[in-house]
């Protein structure tokens, strides 16, 4: 959804991921995609902002592609890396009814597409959240029958 929201506001998006996920990144709005297994992430430069959902080595390498004064935003915990002369932000989601309502409205009117891979009941939640194989998309736990 971050890619879609960024594109809605005119941002040029470069996605990163594995080769198998390249088309999905492009389908969700990335204009380019860097294959983390086969492409050199370091060939990208001058980026204003990195939105990190992986952390570790990828986060450290991503900090190096950010322009001076740019920003690294991470959702995986306190940042382990900082861009040169820039900001590193630990992004923690705090529920806001109005903002969540806006996201729902955007999904319903087609401005945002979801990436749901599995829907499970509450009784099956532990197994659904600890799959034995890779699940594409997000897992939804249905609380009510």
């Amino acid at each position: 959804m971050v890619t879609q929201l960024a594109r809605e506001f005119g941002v040029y998006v470069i996605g990163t991921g594995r080769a198998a996920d390249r088309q999905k990144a492009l389908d969700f709005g990335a204009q380019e995609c860097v294959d983390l297994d086969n492409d050199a992430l370091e060939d990208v430069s001058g980026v204003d902002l990195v939105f990190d959902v992986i952390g570790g080595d990828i986060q450290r390498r991503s900090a190096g592609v950010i322009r001076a004064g740019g920003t690294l935003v991470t959702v995986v915990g306190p940042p382990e890396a900082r861009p040169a002369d820039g900001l590193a932000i630990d992004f923690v989601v705090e529920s806001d009814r109005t903002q969540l309502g806006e996201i729902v409205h955007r999904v319903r009117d087609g401005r945002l597409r979801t990436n749901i891979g599995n829907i499970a009941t509450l009784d099956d939640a532990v197994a659904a959240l600890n799959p034995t194989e890779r699940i594409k998309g997000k897992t939804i736990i249905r609380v009510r029958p």
Side-chain angles (χ1 to χ4, degrees), residues 102-118:
E102 177 61 25
I103 290 172
V104 169
H105 181 71
R106 288 169 188 253
V107 169
R108 286 184 177 155
D109 70 13
R111 287 185 288 160
L112 277 178
R113 291 183 301 134
T114 60
N115 184 22
I116 299 171
N118 182 28

Side-chain angles (χ1 to χ4, degrees), residues 19-38:
D21 298 321
R22 182 182 195 289
Q23 191 57 51
K24 185 162 293 269
L26 296 172
D27 290 347
F28 275 101
Q31 283 117 323
E32 294 180 49
C33 191
V34 175
D35 174 355
L36 294 172
D37 291 326
N38 300 303

Side-chain angles (χ1 to χ4, degrees), residues 84-97:
D85 299 321
L87 297 173
I89 299 171
D90 180 10
F91 182 77
V92 178
V93 176
E94 293 183 16
S95 297
D96 177 286
R97 187 176 188 92

Side-chain angles (χ1 to χ4, degrees), residues 2 14 16 41 46-92:
V2 170
I14 302 170
T16 59
L41 178 59
V47 173
D48 294 312
L49 181 136
V50 167
F51 190 82
D52 169 49
V53 298
I54 299 173
D57 182 55
I58 299 300
Q59 182 187 103
R60 285 187 288 280
R61 292 170 55 203
S62 296
V65 306
I66 300 171
R67 68 166 175 76
T71 304
L72 170 76
V73 177
T74 182
V75 297
V76 297
E80 299 175 18
R82 295 192 177 280
D85 299 321
L87 297 173
I89 299 171
D90 180 10
F91 182 77
V92 178

